[in-house]
C-alpha cells in the first residue's frame, strides 16, 4: 500500500497533489512485490479510491479524490517520513525514462548521473529495505554501478 500511494503523490506549491502514474511505473524488480502491488491496486480501484484509464495507449492509475492524498493521516505520515526520498524519486523518474528511451535508440551516453551528487543518494536508497524505486529507476542506477565496477577493475 505504501509503495503504491507514495508513487501517486507529488508536492506542488507547498502542498500535496494526486499524481497520475503509468502502470509501468508500478512494476518493481521483485515479482512478489508486483503481485502485492497488483492486489492493492485492484482493491483500491474496486473501492473507488483509485481510478484506471488509458492515455496515448499507456494505461495509468491515479487517486480518485484529492481528499485521499490530502486528508489521509497515514499517507501524510508516510510523506513526512519519505520527504527527501520523494524529491529524489521525482527527479529520478524522468531521468530514468529518458535514459531508457535513449538506450533503445542507442543514444543513452551522457544521460547517466555520473557526476551528479544525487547518484549516491539514489544508490543508498535503492539498496535500502525501504526502497520504492520502480524497475526502470533501479536499472538506471544499476547500469551506472556496473559501469563504475567495469572501469574500476580495468
Amino acid at each position: 500500500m505504501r509503495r503504491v500511494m507514495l508513487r501517486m503523490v507529488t508536492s506542488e506549491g507547498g502542498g500535496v497533489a494526486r499524481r497520475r502514474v503509468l502502470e509501468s511505473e508500478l512494476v518493481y524488480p521483485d515479482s512478489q512485490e508486483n503481485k502485492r502491488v497488483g492486489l492493492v491496486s485492484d482493491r483500491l480501484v474496486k473501492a473507488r479510491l483509485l481510478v484506471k484509464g488509458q492515455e496515448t495507449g499507456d494505461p495509468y492509475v491515479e487517486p480518485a479524490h484529492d481528499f485521499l492524498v490530502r486528508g489521509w493521516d497515514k499517507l501524510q505520515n508516510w510523506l513526512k517520513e519519505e520527504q527527501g526520498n520523494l524529491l529524489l524519486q521525482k527527479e529520478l523518474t524522468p531521468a530514468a525514462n529518458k535514459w531508457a528511451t535513449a538506450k533503445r535508440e542507442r543514444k543513452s551516453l551522457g544521460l547517466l548521473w555520473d557526476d551528479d551528487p544525487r547518484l549516491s543518494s539514489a544508490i543508498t536508497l535503492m539498496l535500502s529495505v525501504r526502497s520504492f524505486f520502480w524497475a526502470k529507476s533501479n536499472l538506471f542506477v544499476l547500469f551506472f554501478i556496473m559501469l563504475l565496477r567495469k572501469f574500476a577493475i580495468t
Side-chain angles (χ1 to χ4, degrees), residues 58-76:
D58 295 322
Y60 68 84
V61 63
E62 68 181 331
H65 311 283
D66 288 322
F67 183 76
L68 181 62
V69 297
R70 293 189 185 127
W72 185 19
D73 291 337
K74 188 163 204 79
L75 180 57
Q76 294 304 312

Side-chain angles (χ1 to χ4, degrees), residues 52-100:
K52 289 187 175 191
Q54 197 162 358
E55 188 174 284
T56 63
D58 295 322
Y60 68 84
V61 63
E62 68 181 331
H65 311 283
D66 288 322
F67 183 76
L68 181 62
V69 297
R70 293 189 185 127
W72 185 19
D73 291 337
K74 188 163 204 79
L75 180 57
Q76 294 304 312
N77 289 335
W78 291 339
L79 290 168
K80 286 177 188 169
E81 291 171 13
E82 299 292 348
Q83 191 172 18
N85 296 335
L86 288 171
L87 178 60
L88 181 62
Q89 172 188 288
K90 183 179 180 178
E91 295 168 344
L92 182 61
T93 297
N97 278 329
K98 187 175 182 181
W99 172 78

